[in-house]
Amino acid sequence: MRSNAKVSSISFDLLNSSQKKQAKQLHHLLAEIQLPELENDCHLSEFPLKVPKHFAKQIQLKNPTDPLLRQILPVNQELETNEHYKKDPVGDLDKNPLPSLIHKYYGRVLLIASPKCDIHCRYCFRRHFPYENQSNNRAWHQAIDYIQADDSIHEVILSGGDPMSLSENVLLKLSQKIESIQHVKTLRIHSRTPVVSPTDAAQKEWLEWAKTTALNIVLVVHCNHPNELSTQTHELFKRYQQAGLHLLNQTVLLRSINDSVDVLEKLSHALFAQSVMPYYLHQLDKVQGAAHFQVADQDALILHQALRERLPGYLVPKLVQEVAGEPFKTPLYELADENGI
Ligand code: SF4
């Protein structure tokens, strides 16, 4: 059975074991939210359905347009081809000096800490990333040696995948290795786990270590819609704050999910109420399979302008686009000027 097959066109008996597992999960999820008919709109993907319990519980019942559901459902639109959407839209593999390391920007490196995530976001720009051999002890040793040898690197970003999908013990050891490099001053962690699965992100021993380290620790969480925030995320963010972490959020602008000034305004206020500062609003990275999430640049700019009119400056996230090969994230206003939008 080929992968990426439409659920409506296949017989269960012909599926391999991982496809059967995916088909059952999809069936179970749609039964739980009382939308079994959506199965016909879905396919079994090489980037399979994955949704943690906490996130699934935040999905509204009987609502096919629920903004959380739309972020995780492998709909058939993903199978449509579009020549402008690539497997590596941000050029990660051109700046990959070692299997586990991406070195794009001055002074900072990104370490692929884990190939796994607690959730599979359908718009993910790394959904086709070749994670094999990228995050294991050997790869990390090489990465640590690389960082050690370059004293211009003052910040290490743990990403993936999701670093919080690592066991606490492994995350702690990796953090301590980075702490031991004298010229590294900041450890940044990019993680969606605190939002989508807050109980899995409450790493007790790691937080005790965070209270004692001389490193600045920046945790950039990833929340796209106010419905993703909960009393559990609030409790968790309080614990992070008590451990001295700086909390920022990044959001991806997604058509029919959060491309509304009301939703984005509410999101900024809701994040701030949980002590998280809005940081980036990303224009979608054009990854294969995600074209149906794209918001036109002009609409994104109008939306951002409206957001600036409603919010104090400190709650307005920067609207940016990652352009492969550029030495920093590009404000969309600059790109619009260049392209005459
Ligand atoms: S959590 Fe982040 S890395 Fe993982 S699938 Fe979602 S967007 Fe991609």
Side-chain angles (χ1 to χ4, degrees):
M1 173 60 57
R2 69 191 165 88
S3 8
N4 289 334
K6 289 184 184 177
V7 173
S8 57
S9 70
I10 46 181
S11 151
F12 189 79
D13 292 339
L14 295 176
L15 300 177
N16 64 35
S17 60
S18 83
Q19 286 172 322
K20 278 184 181 157
K21 189 173 161 209
Q22 200 188 150
K24 278 185 193 165
Q25 280 171 339
L26 179 66
H27 185 78
H28 181 70
L29 172 73
L30 294 176
E32 288 270 303
I33 59 171
Q34 299 173 30
L35 290 167
E37 65 280 10
L38 288 188
E39 224 168 309
N40 293 329
D41 299 342
C42 294
H43 66 288
L44 300 178
S45 173
E46 286 164 6
F47 182 58
L49 169 80
K50 190 170 186 187
V51 52
K53 276 191 192 132
H54 175 86
F55 192 87
K57 278 195 185 141
Q58 314 285 107
I59 296 173
Q60 208 183 23
L61 303 185
K62 298 184 184 173
N63 179 6
T65 61
D66 179 88
L68 276 58
L69 175 66
R70 286 289 147 189
Q71 293 181 54
I72 50 100
L73 205 60
V75 292
N76 291 333
Q77 283 158 298
E78 291 182 15
L79 303 175
E80 291 165 15
T81 50
N82 182 322
E83 57 174 322
H84 301 295
Y85 289 74
K86 314 277 183 211
K87 288 202 162 172
D88 178 21
V90 298
D92 276 347
L93 299 176
D94 297 331
K95 301 283 181 184
N96 195 202
L98 291 170
S100 61
L101 205 90
I102 296 174
H103 196 174
K104 279 186 186 174
Y105 302 144
Y106 179 78
R108 288 149 282 166
V109 288
L110 185 147
L111 203 151
I112 302 284
S114 169
K116 289 190 195 141
C117 295
D118 289 289
I119 188 167
H120 282 174
C121 314
R122 306 312 303 174
Y123 53 82
C124 178
F125 71 96
R126 290 211 182 107
R127 55 178 290 171
H128 305 287
F129 193 80
Y131 282 112
E132 312 81 38
N133 306 322
Q134 307 260 347
S135 54
N136 53 43
N137 265 338
R138 188 161 170 267
W140 287 344
H141 278 305
Q142 288 175 337
I144 296 291
D145 288 347
Y146 179 99
I147 299 165
Q148 184 91 58
D150 182 347
D151 64 9
S152 75
I153 298 170
H154 56 79
E155 178 166 357
V156 176
I157 302 163
L158 299 186
S159 184
D162 196 316
M164 292 255 185
S165 66
L166 292 172
S167 74
E168 173 155 4
N169 188 30
V170 173
L171 180 62
L172 184 59
K173 278 194 179 141
L174 184 59
S175 303
Q176 286 169 333
K177 275 267 174 221
I178 293 162
E179 180 187 35
S180 71
I181 304 173
Q182 225 178 2
H183 49 266
V184 175
K185 305 295 178 205
T186 301
L187 174 66
R188 190 188 334 167
I189 297 184
H190 284 189
S191 178
R192 186 139 164 76
T193 305
V195 172
V196 302
S197 190
T199 45
D200 290 328
Q203 308 227 11
K204 209 171 157 205
E205 260 185 72
W206 184 83
L207 283 174
E208 287 305 313
W209 165 82
K211 285 179 190 166
T212 61
T213 181
L215 288 171
N216 295 309
I217 304 187
V218 182
L219 175 63
V220 184
V221 298
H222 173 176
C223 178
N224 296 321
H225 194 282
N227 293 4
E228 293 172 32
L229 295 170
S230 58
T231 47
Q232 290 91 334
T233 58
H234 198 180
E235 285 305 312
L236 181 64
F237 294 150
K238 273 190 213 157
R239 291 177 61 190
Y240 287 158
Q241 259 207 319
Q242 284 158 5
L245 272 59
H246 303 275
L247 301 179
L248 303 174
N249 179 62
Q250 51 185 343
T251 295
V252 181
L253 185 60
L254 299 165
R255 195 208 297 172
S256 304
I257 290 172
N258 60 10
D259 56 339
S260 127
V261 68
D262 290 337
V263 169
L264 291 175
E265 181 194 5
K266 198 171 163 195
L267 176 60
S268 276
H269 283 304
L271 286 164
F272 189 50
Q274 297 199 3
S275 308
V276 181
M277 297 306 293
Y279 171 41
Y280 276 141
L281 177 61
H282 290 275
Q283 181 58 316
L284 185 82
D285 297 312
K286 291 189 172 176
V287 68
Q288 217 174 71
H292 56 291
F293 288 115
Q294 181 74 47
V295 175
D297 284 351
Q298 192 170 13
D299 294 339
L301 290 165
I302 292 170
L303 194 58
H304 196 249
Q305 181 63 29
L307 204 57
R308 289 164 80 189
E309 286 170 17
R310 289 205 192 171
L311 290 169
Y314 60 89
L315 290 187
V316 181
K318 295 174 195 161
L319 176 62
V320 293
Q321 172 88 68
E322 182 156 355
V323 180
E326 289 297 315
F328 46 76
K329 305 252 188 305
T330 311
L332 200 66
Y333 294 98
E334 286 179 16
L335 278 179
D337 284 346
E338 279 169 27
N339 299 335
I341 293 173

